[in-house]
């Protein structure tokens, strides 16, 4: 059985809370283990923060789309912004000593660590982040 | 997220409750930490027992507070870190940056040495 749920949020800070509530509700309904649910919720907030702040630059005329695709084995989440993309190779390593105490720059590292599979696809019309977690 | 502020001698203890994921919750923590610094409190303990998880926004606020306090000769120490937060601190190597204690009493007492 496969279920798809898709939502679109304006690029405001409350999009993070709304997306997290949705992820929390979906993972609860799926009866996923608590630690796995937390991984999914954290990853969703990180991806949405990146989308509204770095992708859409908090522009209210731009939206973030989040899609949950659920099957018997996995939950696959796609977060898409309407920004101009970015150079993945130019992203600084948050673990290097000079960056360790910076307040920002850890989102993608956390997403990659908590989820089973992550793909980031920047393009001139927006960035798409696909995150997969085994149920 | 809720913040309860206790004082133990010269040490401020902030008991946090809820999730720290960015937005108004992160702003209130940021404001609280800077209010303490502005009022001359340089020894801070953040009790995380009531926080199931936090994301990079929460970590950013804590590291910002830590940097500001250390610049002024103070410190921000963590107590009762929950399992998922411990995992996130390890992922980001911030477990090497923060002093972490298993209970608030030890965290408060650490400022005496």
């Amino acid at each position: 059985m496969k279920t798809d749920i898709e939502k679109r949020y304006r690029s405001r800070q409350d999009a993070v809370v709304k997306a997290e509530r949705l992820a929390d509700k979906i993972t609860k309904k799926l009866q996923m283990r608590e630690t796995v649910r937390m991984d999914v919720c954290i990853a969703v907030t990180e991806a949405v923060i990146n989308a509204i702040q770095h992708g859409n630059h908090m522009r209210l005329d731009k939206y973030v789309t989040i899609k949950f695709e659920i099957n018997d084995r996995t939950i696959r989440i796609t977060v898409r912004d309407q920004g101009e993309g970015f150079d993945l190779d130019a992203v600084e390593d948050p673990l290097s000593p000079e960056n360790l105490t910076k307040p920002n720059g850890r989102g993608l590292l956390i997403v990659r660590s908590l989820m089973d599979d992550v793909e980031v696809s920047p393009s001139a019309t927006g960035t798409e982040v696909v995150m997969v977690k085994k149920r | 997220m809720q913040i309860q502020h206790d004082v133990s001698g010269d040490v401020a203890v902030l008991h946090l409750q809820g999730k720290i994921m960015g937005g108004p919750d992160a702003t209130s923590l940021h404001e609280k930490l800077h209010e303490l610094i502005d009022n001359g409190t340089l020894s801070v303990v953040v009790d995380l027992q009531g926080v199931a998880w936090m994301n990079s926004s929460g970590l950013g606020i804590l590291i910002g507070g830590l940097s500001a306090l250390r610049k002024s000769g103070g410190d921000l120490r963590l107590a009762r870190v929950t399992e998922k937060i411990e995992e996130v601190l390890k992922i980001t190597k911030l477990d090497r940056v923060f002093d972490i204690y298993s209970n608030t009493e030890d965290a408060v007492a650490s400022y005496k040495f």
Side-chain angles (χ1 to χ4, degrees):
Chain A
M1 195 190 77
K2 190 172 176 292
T3 311
D4 291 359
I5 298 160
E6 188 168 323
K7 292 274 182 189
R8 196 171 80 132
Y9 302 113
R10 211 181 274 275
S11 298
R12 288 193 302 236
Q13 206 63 44
D14 66 356
V16 180
V17 179
K18 286 178 180 171
E20 192 275 335
R21 278 194 196 136
L22 181 61
D24 186 62
K25 194 172 158 189
I26 290 169
T27 53
K28 224 175 235 172
K29 202 167 179 184
L30 293 172
Q31 296 181 317
M32 293 167 79
R33 280 182 299 127
E34 191 61 20
T35 184
V36 178
R37 292 186 57 233
M38 285 192 247
D39 290 344
V40 171
C41 290
I42 294 171
V44 163
T45 64
E46 299 291 4
V48 172
I49 287 169
N50 280 344
I52 62 172
Q53 291 183 351
H54 305 302
N56 292 346
H57 300 289
M58 303 298 288
R59 278 180 52 177
L60 294 178
D61 60 332
K62 297 202 174 210
Y63 290 84
V64 174
T65 308
I66 183 163
K67 186 179 182 183
F68 294 83
E69 295 166 271
I70 301 144
N71 64 33
D72 293 338
R73 291 180 299 111
T74 62
I75 179 165
R76 183 179 193 266
I77 304 153
T78 305
V79 176
R80 197 177 305 116
D81 65 47
Q82 296 180 314
E84 292 144 10
F86 66 101
D87 181 3
L88 255 179
D89 295 329
V91 176
E92 289 189 57
D93 177 7
L95 300 181
S96 67
E98 68 272 21
N99 294 330
L100 209 53
T101 54
K102 284 187 180 170
N104 304 311
R106 299 179 180 84
L108 204 48
L109 167 71
I110 292 174
V111 170
R112 287 192 197 281
S113 302
L114 297 183
M115 299 298 273
D116 293 314
D117 191 32
V118 178
E119 257 182 65
V120 182
S121 311
S123 80
T125 55
T127 297
E128 186 176 271
V129 178
V130 180
M131 312 175 283
V132 179
K133 188 79 175 172
K134 288 176 196 144
R135 287 178 58 184
Chain B
M1 187 198 60
Q2 291 176 328
I3 305 173
Q4 189 199 322
H5 177 188
D6 285 342
V7 178
S8 178
D10 294 335
V11 184
V13 183
L14 301 181
H15 305 276
L16 309 187
Q17 195 84 35
K19 302 165 186 169
I20 311 173
M21 65 177 101
D25 53 345
T27 308
S28 61
L29 178 57
H30 174 85
E31 285 171 356
K32 188 74 198 170
L33 287 170
H34 284 270
E35 179 193 309
L36 291 172
I37 296 166
D38 292 345
N39 291 338
T41 303
L42 296 178
S43 305
V44 178
V45 170
V46 176
D47 173 18
L48 292 168
Q49 195 195 26
V51 182
W53 58 261
M54 70 169 66
N55 63 9
S56 63
S57 295
L59 295 178
I61 301 292
L62 291 179
I63 203 80
L66 174 88
S67 301
L69 282 159
R70 283 188 180 168
K71 254 184 215 163
S72 309
D75 203 7
L76 184 155
R77 298 175 185 171
L78 304 180
R80 301 201 291 178
V81 173
T82 51
E83 209 175 321
K84 189 55 72 178
I85 295 177
E86 190 180 357
E87 185 183 345
V88 174
L89 287 170
K90 278 184 182 156
I91 288 167
T92 55
K93 291 190 180 172
L94 290 178
D95 59 326
R96 302 175 189 185
V97 175
F98 288 102
D99 286 340
I100 301 171
Y101 296 85
S102 55
N103 59 66
T104 49
E105 292 78 12
D106 285 353
V108 169
S110 71
Y111 280 108
K112 291 175 187 158
F113 304 108

